Coordinates of all heavy atoms in Angstrom, one line a residue:
L1 N 0.8 -1.2 0.0 CA 0.0 0.0 0.0 C 0.8 1.3 0.1 O 0.6 2.2 -0.8 CB -0.9 0.1 1.2 CG -1.7 1.3 1.4 CD1 -2.7 1.6 0.3 CD2 -2.5 1.2 2.8
V2 N 1.9 1.3 0.9 CA 2.7 2.5 1.0 C 3.5 2.6 -0.3 O 3.7 3.8 -0.8 CB 3.7 2.3 2.2 CG1 4.7 3.4 2.2 CG2 2.9 2.4 3.5
S3 N 4.0 1.5 -0.9 CA 4.8 1.6 -2.2 C 3.9 2.2 -3.3 O 4.4 2.9 -4.3 CB 5.3 0.3 -2.5 OG 4.3 -0.6 -3.0
R4 N 2.6 1.9 -3.3 CA 1.7 2.4 -4.3 C 1.3 3.9 -4.1 O 1.0 4.6 -5.0 CB 0.4 1.6 -4.4 CG 0.6 0.2 -5.0 CD -0.8 -0.5 -5.2 NE -1.5 -0.6 -4.0 CZ -1.4 -1.7 -3.3 NH1 -0.6 -2.6 -3.5 NH2 -2.3 -1.8 -2.2
L5 N 1.4 4.4 -2.8 CA 1.1 5.8 -2.5 C 2.2 6.7 -2.8 O 2.0 7.8 -3.1 CB 0.6 5.9 -1.0 CG -0.7 5.3 -0.5 CD1 -0.7 5.3 1.0 CD2 -1.8 6.1 -1.1
L6 N 3.4 6.2 -2.7 CA 4.6 7.2 -2.8 C 4.5 7.9 -4.1 O 4.8 9.2 -4.1 CB 5.9 6.4 -2.6 CG 6.2 5.9 -1.3 CD1 7.4 5.0 -1.2 CD2 6.4 7.0 -0.3
P7 N 4.3 7.2 -5.3 CA 4.3 8.1 -6.6 C 3.2 9.2 -6.6 O 3.4 10.3 -7.3 CB 4.0 7.0 -7.6 CG 4.4 5.8 -7.0 CD 4.1 5.9 -5.5
D8 N 2.2 9.0 -5.8 CA 1.1 10.1 -5.8 C 1.7 11.4 -5.3 O 1.1 12.4 -5.6 CB -0.1 9.7 -4.9 CG -0.8 8.5 -5.6 OD1 -0.7 8.2 -6.8 OD2 -1.6 7.8 -4.8
Y9 N 2.8 11.3 -4.5 CA 3.4 12.5 -3.9 C 4.7 12.9 -4.5 O 5.4 13.6 -3.9 CB 3.4 12.4 -2.3 CG 2.1 12.3 -1.7 CD1 1.5 11.1 -1.4 CD2 1.3 13.4 -1.3 CE1 0.3 10.9 -0.8 CE2 0.1 13.4 -0.8 CZ -0.5 12.1 -0.5 OH -1.7 12.0 0.0
E10 N 5.1 12.3 -5.6 CA 6.3 12.5 -6.3 C 7.5 12.1 -5.3 O 8.6 12.8 -5.5 CB 6.4 13.9 -6.8 CG 5.4 14.3 -7.8 CD 5.5 15.7 -8.4 OE1 5.1 16.6 -7.7 OE2 6.3 15.8 -9.4
A11 N 7.3 11.3 -4.4 CA 8.3 10.9 -3.4 C 9.4 10.1 -4.2 O 9.0 9.2 -5.0 CB 7.8 10.3 -2.2
R12 N 10.7 10.3 -3.9 CA 11.8 9.5 -4.5 C 12.2 8.6 -3.5 O 12.8 9.0 -2.5 CB 12.8 10.5 -5.0 CG 14.0 9.8 -5.6 CD 15.1 10.7 -6.0 NE 14.7 11.8 -6.8 CZ 15.4 12.8 -7.3 NH1 16.6 13.0 -6.8 NH2 14.9 13.7 -8.1
V13 N 12.2 7.3 -3.8 CA 12.7 6.3 -3.0 C 14.2 6.2 -3.1 O 14.7 5.9 -4.2 CB 12.1 4.9 -3.2 CG1 12.7 3.9 -2.3 CG2 10.6 5.0 -3.0
T14 N 15.0 6.4 -2.0 CA 16.5 6.3 -2.1 C 16.9 4.9 -1.7 O 18.0 4.5 -2.0 CB 17.1 7.4 -1.2 OG1 16.7 7.2 0.1 CG2 16.7 8.7 -1.8
A15 N 16.1 4.2 -0.8 CA 16.4 2.9 -0.4 C 15.1 2.3 0.2 O 14.3 3.0 0.7 CB 17.5 2.9 0.7
S16 N 15.0 1.0 0.1 CA 13.9 0.2 0.7 C 14.3 -1.2 1.2 O 15.3 -1.7 0.7 CB 12.8 0.1 -0.3 OG 13.1 -0.7 -1.4
S17 N 13.6 -1.7 2.1 CA 13.9 -3.0 2.6 C 12.5 -3.7 2.9 O 11.8 -3.3 3.9 CB 14.7 -2.9 3.9 OG 14.8 -4.1 4.5
F18 N 12.3 -4.7 2.2 CA 11.1 -5.5 2.4 C 11.1 -6.2 3.7 O 10.2 -6.4 4.5 CB 10.8 -6.5 1.3 CG 9.5 -7.3 1.4 CD1 8.3 -6.7 1.3 CD2 9.6 -8.6 1.9 CE1 7.1 -7.5 1.4 CE2 8.4 -9.3 2.1 CZ 7.2 -8.8 1.9
G19 N 12.4 -6.7 4.0 CA 12.6 -7.4 5.3 C 12.4 -6.7 6.5 O 11.7 -7.1 7.4
A20 N 12.8 -5.3 6.4 CA 12.6 -4.4 7.5 C 11.3 -3.6 7.4 O 11.0 -2.8 8.3 CB 13.8 -3.5 7.7
A21 N 10.5 -3.9 6.3 CA 9.3 -3.2 6.0 C 9.5 -1.7 6.1 O 8.8 -1.0 6.9 CB 8.2 -3.7 6.8
S22 N 10.5 -1.1 5.4 CA 10.8 0.3 5.5 C 11.1 0.9 4.1 O 11.6 0.2 3.3 CB 11.9 0.5 6.5 OG 13.0 -0.1 6.1
F23 N 10.9 2.3 4.0 CA 11.3 3.0 2.8 C 12.1 4.2 3.4 O 11.7 4.8 4.3 CB 10.1 3.6 2.0 CG 9.3 2.4 1.3 CD1 8.3 1.9 1.8 CD2 9.9 2.1 0.0 CE1 7.5 1.0 1.0 CE2 9.2 1.1 -0.7 CZ 8.0 0.5 -0.2
F24 N 13.2 4.5 2.7 CA 13.8 5.7 3.0 C 13.6 6.6 1.7 O 13.9 6.2 0.6 CB 15.4 5.5 3.1 CG 15.8 4.9 4.4 CD1 15.7 3.5 4.4 CD2 16.0 5.6 5.5 CE1 16.1 2.9 5.7 CE2 16.3 4.9 6.7 CZ 16.4 3.5 6.7
I25 N 13.1 7.7 1.9 CA 12.6 8.5 0.8 C 13.0 10.0 0.9 O 13.4 10.5 2.0 CB 11.1 8.5 0.6 CG1 10.4 9.2 1.8 CG2 10.6 7.0 0.6 CD1 8.9 9.6 1.6
L26 N 13.0 10.6 -0.2 CA 13.0 12.1 -0.3 C 11.7 12.7 -0.7 O 11.1 12.2 -1.7 CB 14.1 12.6 -1.3 CG 15.6 12.3 -1.1 CD1 16.4 12.7 -2.3 CD2 16.1 12.9 0.2
Y27 N 11.2 13.7 -0.1 CA 9.9 14.2 -0.5 C 10.1 15.8 -0.6 O 10.9 16.4 0.1 CB 8.8 13.9 0.5 CG 8.9 14.5 1.9 CD1 8.3 15.7 2.2 CD2 9.7 13.9 2.8 CE1 8.4 16.3 3.4 CE2 9.7 14.5 4.1 CZ 9.1 15.7 4.4 OH 9.2 16.3 5.6
W28 N 9.3 16.3 -1.5 CA 9.3 17.7 -1.8 C 8.5 18.5 -0.7 O 7.4 18.1 -0.4 CB 8.7 18.1 -3.1 CG 9.2 17.2 -4.2 CD1 8.6 16.3 -5.0 CD2 10.6 17.0 -4.6 NE1 9.4 15.7 -5.8 CE2 10.7 16.1 -5.6 CE3 11.8 17.6 -4.2 CZ2 11.8 15.6 -6.3 CZ3 13.0 17.2 -4.8 CH2 13.0 16.2 -5.9
T29 N 9.0 19.5 -0.2 CA 8.4 20.2 1.0 C 7.2 21.0 0.5 O 6.4 21.6 1.3 CB 9.5 21.2 1.7 OG1 10.0 22.1 0.7 CG2 10.5 20.4 2.3
D30 N 7.2 21.2 -0.9 CA 6.0 21.9 -1.3 C 4.8 21.0 -1.8 O 3.9 21.4 -2.5 CB 6.3 22.9 -2.6 CG 7.0 22.1 -3.7 OD1 7.2 20.8 -3.6 OD2 7.2 22.7 -4.8
T31 N 4.9 19.7 -1.4 CA 3.8 18.8 -1.6 C 2.7 19.2 -0.7 O 2.9 19.8 0.4 CB 4.3 17.4 -1.5 OG1 4.9 17.2 -0.1 CG2 5.2 16.9 -2.5
P32 N 1.5 18.7 -0.9 CA 0.3 18.9 0.0 C 0.7 18.6 1.4 O 1.3 17.6 1.7 CB -0.8 18.2 -0.6 CG -0.5 17.9 -2.1 CD 1.1 17.9 -2.0
P33 N 0.1 19.4 2.4 CA 0.3 19.1 3.9 C -0.1 17.7 4.3 O 0.2 17.3 5.4 CB -0.3 20.3 4.6 CG -1.4 20.8 3.5 CD -0.7 20.5 2.2
T34 N -1.0 17.1 3.4 CA -1.5 15.8 3.7 C -0.5 14.7 3.7 O -0.7 13.5 4.0 CB -2.8 15.4 2.9 OG1 -2.4 15.5 1.5 CG2 -3.9 16.4 3.2
F35 N 0.6 15.0 3.0 CA 1.6 14.0 2.7 C 2.0 13.1 3.9 O 1.8 12.0 3.9 CB 2.8 14.6 2.1 CG 4.0 13.8 1.9 CD1 4.1 12.7 1.0 CD2 5.1 13.7 2.8 CE1 5.1 11.8 0.8 CE2 6.2 12.9 2.7 CZ 6.2 11.9 1.6
L36 N 2.5 13.8 4.9 CA 3.0 13.1 6.1 C 1.8 12.5 6.9 O 2.0 11.3 7.4 CB 3.8 14.0 7.0 CG 5.1 14.4 6.5 CD1 5.8 15.3 7.5 CD2 6.0 13.2 6.3
S37 N 0.7 13.1 7.0 CA -0.5 12.6 7.7 C -1.0 11.3 7.1 O -1.4 10.4 7.7 CB -1.6 13.7 7.8 OG -2.0 14.0 6.5
T38 N -0.9 11.3 5.7 CA -1.3 10.1 5.0 C -0.5 8.9 5.4 O -1.1 7.8 5.7 CB -1.2 10.3 3.5 OG1 -2.1 11.3 3.1 CG2 -1.6 9.0 2.7
F39 N 0.8 9.1 5.5 CA 1.7 8.0 5.8 C 1.6 7.6 7.3 O 1.8 6.5 7.8 CB 3.1 8.2 5.3 CG 3.2 8.2 3.8 CD1 3.2 9.3 3.1 CD2 3.1 6.9 3.2 CE1 3.3 9.2 1.7 CE2 3.2 6.8 1.9 CZ 3.3 8.0 1.1
H40 N 1.3 8.7 8.1 CA 1.2 8.4 9.6 C 0.0 7.5 9.8 O 0.0 6.7 10.7 CB 1.0 9.6 10.4 CG 2.3 10.3 10.8 ND1 3.2 9.8 11.6 CD2 2.8 11.5 10.4 CE1 4.2 10.5 11.9 NE2 4.1 11.6 11.1
S41 N -1.0 7.6 9.0 CA -2.2 6.8 9.2 C -2.0 5.3 8.8 O -2.9 4.6 9.2 CB -3.4 7.5 8.4 OG -3.1 7.3 6.9
C42 N -1.0 5.0 7.9 CA -0.9 3.6 7.5 C 0.4 3.1 7.8 O 0.8 1.9 7.5 CB -1.1 3.6 6.0 SG 0.0 4.5 5.0
A43 N 1.4 3.7 8.5 CA 2.7 3.3 8.9 C 2.8 3.2 10.4 O 2.0 3.9 11.1 CB 3.7 4.2 8.3
S44 N 3.7 2.4 10.8 CA 4.0 2.4 12.3 C 4.8 3.5 12.8 O 4.7 3.9 14.0 CB 4.6 1.0 12.7 OG 5.8 0.8 11.9
S45 N 5.6 4.1 11.9 CA 6.4 5.3 12.3 C 6.9 6.0 11.0 O 7.1 5.4 10.0 CB 7.6 4.8 13.1 OG 8.6 4.2 12.3
V46 N 6.9 7.3 11.2 CA 7.4 8.2 10.2 C 8.5 9.1 10.8 O 8.1 9.9 11.6 CB 6.3 9.0 9.4 CG1 7.0 9.9 8.3 CG2 5.3 8.1 8.7
T47 N 9.7 9.0 10.4 CA 10.8 9.7 11.0 C 11.4 10.7 10.0 O 12.0 10.2 8.9 CB 11.9 8.8 11.6 OG1 11.4 7.9 12.5 CG2 13.0 9.6 12.3
V48 N 11.3 12.0 10.2 CA 12.0 12.9 9.3 C 13.4 13.1 9.8 O 13.6 13.6 10.9 CB 11.2 14.3 9.2 CG1 11.9 15.3 8.3 CG2 9.7 13.9 8.7

């Protein structure tokens, strides 16, 4: 689900790990403010 959502916000994946179930990404600060809240709702943690 998260991997399908990332392109909607033009996020660039710099690294990912299926084993650790994590993505390291770059995101644009001028994306809609719902960006982080969207991932907070479906992820266990979001660390900037």
Side-chain angles (χ1 to χ4, degrees):
L1 171 63
V2 172
S3 67
R4 291 191 298 272
L5 285 173
L6 288 173
D8 292 344
Y9 295 94
E10 299 182 276
R12 181 185 300 175
V13 177
T14 56
S16 64
S17 171
F18 181 76
S22 61
F23 287 98
F24 291 88
I25 68 167
L26 295 177
Y27 69 92
W28 314 119
T29 57
D30 57 354
T31 53
T34 56
F35 171 74
L36 289 178
S37 61
T38 297
F39 290 102
H40 272 297
S41 66
C42 62
S44 54
S45 70
V46 177
T47 305
V48 178

